[in-house]
Amino acid sequence: MFDTLAAQPADKILSLMAAYRADPREAKVDLGVGVYKDASGKTPVMRAVKAAEQRLVDAQDTKAYTGLAGDPAFSDAMIGLVLGDAVERERIGAVATPGGTGAIRQALELIKLAAPEATVWLSNPTWPNHPSIIKFLGIPSAEYRYFDSATRGVDFAGMMEDLQAIKAGDVVLLHGCCHNPTGANLSGAQWHEVIALLKAKEAIPFIDIAYQGFGDGLEADAAATRLVAAGVDECLIAASCSKNFGIYRERTGILMAVTRNAEAATKAQGTLSFLNRQNYSFPPDHGARVVTTILTDPALRADWEAELEEVRLGMLTLRQSLADELKRLTNDDRFDFLAHHRGMFSRLGTTPELVEKMRADHGIYMVGDSRMNIAGLNEATIPVLARAIVDAGV
Ligand code: LMR
């Protein structure tokens, strides 16, 4: 049976991780996978996470199953973090999922059950695993323009023009904040326009929010998601705890279905629990319980927010230093967009050939579409990257 298997396409981001590890050069810079690193290159366990884990070790007296939807306290805490009071709780169905990817997968399975004819619209570009899972599930998809490679900002006119073609019931996937891979984000006014268009078209927004707290702050980064959820009758929201709690390997995420009313929420809740059962039964609990512990304990929450804010401000400083260094080397402000982008990533906006040249000549590892993980930099490697960018003639 296994002889019939075709080789699967390698994931671009994960294969870059392997290539970086295999490179014997001392001087190499990893700007690949979206994992936060501090100035010494480590991905630390956050203080509040350690404390919450310790508390769990001491106090937890069972490892028996939770419910199929996960611990309801986790759903409540995460709905509060992401949505605040934008939507009445009774209109929301929610399940814990294995990471943000699990939430995306469950959302797509839900779409397939509820609206098999719907086309899912993706930004071009988007996180490569979005189209990959959509294709794997055989769901119709289409793209809308998003990135303007001249300004390295959002091609908003192109986006709105492409979204004119959506049909009633189609699903439009939007990044709630910190767009991956570009770092270019919609303004508040643009979000209002998008919401008005989706309402007029009777389309369903599907928000992927994986970097809340990495852009302009925890509340500011949730603003667009809240605006969408409050402004439409129905939407889907996939949220990840991997990055903002730094619990990547614990696989902690949540899928929320915002529905028209309590009755629809009950139906969505039942289907989400059913989908969890079909795919893995009970969702992972450890990370979810850590998150719940932090979010519901005022002292732990304050410490988590403070550490996350340090991380965010550190990334903003790195962005500014890189833009400054490039201005110094080129006497030109054309790289200022790096300081304006938000989140973990910036798309440099160059060719795969020049990305490869920077890897060969300077040991710089960025994704082939020129996505850089800003958190992979430090004060020592900024001049190395800036020099590589200039030498390559970007
Ligand atoms: C990324 O985009 O690098 C992260 O979301 C990690 C991943 O799973 O691809």
Side-chain angles (χ1 to χ4, degrees):
M1 152 172 102
F2 303 117
D3 305 335
T4 66
L5 290 172
Q8 297 297 336
D11 182 283
K12 286 181 210 142
I13 297 171
L14 303 186
S15 47
L16 191 71
M17 253 167 99
Y20 175 81
R21 284 188 187 139
D23 187 334
R25 286 178 288 185
E26 266 295 308
K28 53 180 180 174
V29 184
D30 179 11
L31 306 180
V33 70
V35 170
Y36 171 75
K37 293 193 215 119
D38 64 17
S40 67
K42 294 216 175 65
T43 303
V45 179
M46 295 178 87
R47 296 183 299 261
V49 168
K50 264 281 181 230
E53 288 190 309
Q54 193 57 57
R55 222 177 261 190
L56 287 180
V57 167
D58 293 342
Q60 196 166 48
D61 55 7
T62 183
K63 294 278 187 190
Y65 291 126
T66 56
L68 276 179
D71 179 7
F74 171 68
S75 293
D76 289 344
M78 283 301 293
I79 288 169
L81 181 70
V82 177
L83 288 177
D85 54 9
V87 182
E88 306 89 290
R89 178 67 181 88
E90 60 170 28
R91 282 180 51 212
I92 307 173
V95 282
T97 55
T101 308
I104 301 278
R105 170 68 187 249
Q106 298 300 70
L108 291 166
E109 300 238 23
L110 184 69
I111 291 165
K112 211 175 159 183
L113 281 180
E117 305 295 313
T119 294
V120 177
W121 291 75
L122 303 173
S123 64
N124 178 12
T126 191
W127 181 50
N129 214 18
H130 287 150
S132 178
I133 299 174
I134 286 172
K135 187 168 165 222
F136 181 67
L137 291 175
I139 293 174
S141 69
E143 285 180 348
Y144 59 88
R145 272 171 285 172
Y146 186 80
F147 189 66
D148 181 339
S149 38
T151 63
R152 270 85 157 187
V154 176
D155 175 5
F156 190 62
M159 174 176 178
M160 294 300 276
E161 197 181 316
D162 290 349
L163 290 180
Q164 293 300 331
I166 49 182
K167 297 187 301 299
D170 280 356
V171 175
V172 179
L173 204 160
L174 299 150
H175 298 224
C177 63
C178 307
H179 186 267
N180 177 6
T182 66
N185 296 291
L186 297 175
S187 68
Q190 291 171 334
W191 274 106
H192 279 285
E193 282 190 55
V194 170
I195 294 167
L197 179 68
L198 299 194
K199 275 177 88 159
K201 295 279 182 186
E202 294 174 44
I204 316 289
F206 173 13
I207 307 271
D208 182 0
I209 178 161
Y211 296 87
Q212 186 184 351
F214 276 54
D216 292 309
L218 267 177
E219 291 296 302
D221 289 349
T225 304
R226 292 174 187 178
L227 215 55
V228 170
V232 299
D233 291 338
E234 299 182 316
C235 68
L236 286 159
I237 301 160
S240 170
C241 302
S242 298
K243 334 274 165 158
N244 51 9
F245 288 87
I247 50 172
Y248 305 84
R249 63 176 64 169
E250 301 300 349
R251 310 314 298 138
T252 309
I254 184 165
L255 174 62
M256 307 170 210
V258 175
T259 66
R260 282 176 207 282
N261 51 41
E263 199 187 327
T266 306
K267 277 192 192 159
Q269 184 66 59
T271 304
L272 289 174
S273 297
F274 166 80
L275 284 173
N276 268 7
R277 182 64 166 160
Q278 301 320 301
N279 283 324
Y280 37 75
S281 285
F282 301 88
D285 179 70
H286 178 73
R289 212 157 281 273
V290 165
V291 166
T292 312
T293 305
I294 294 171
L295 292 179
T296 54
D297 180 289
L300 285 183
R301 186 174 182 137
D303 190 43
W304 168 67
E305 288 187 7
E307 190 170 358
L308 180 59
E309 188 63 2
E310 282 164 33
V311 164
R312 183 180 82 81
L313 294 175
M315 285 190 296
L316 285 185
T317 304
L318 291 169
R319 288 186 172 282
Q320 190 62 56
S321 303
L322 180 60
D324 290 348
E325 181 64 5
L326 282 160
K327 189 178 283 177
R328 197 181 67 76
L329 290 178
T330 59
N331 241 331
D332 186 337
D333 59 9
R334 70 180 191 279
F335 291 104
D336 279 4
F337 67 87
L338 292 165
H340 301 142
H341 282 168
R342 283 293 178 274
M344 207 180 245
F345 307 113
S346 266
R347 177 183 259 210
L348 191 53
T350 190
T351 61
E353 291 72 31
L354 292 190
V355 168
E356 181 47 40
K357 185 168 165 50
M358 287 186 273
R359 171 149 68 141
D361 297 350
H362 294 273
I364 305 283
Y365 281 76
M366 65 178 77
V367 184
D369 64 358
S370 74
R371 184 192 84 168
M372 306 183 289
N373 175 5
I374 297 295
L377 289 168
N378 58 41
E379 290 302 331
T381 53
I382 281 173
V384 179
L385 173 61
R387 171 56 55 200
I389 291 172
V390 172
D391 281 0
V394 173

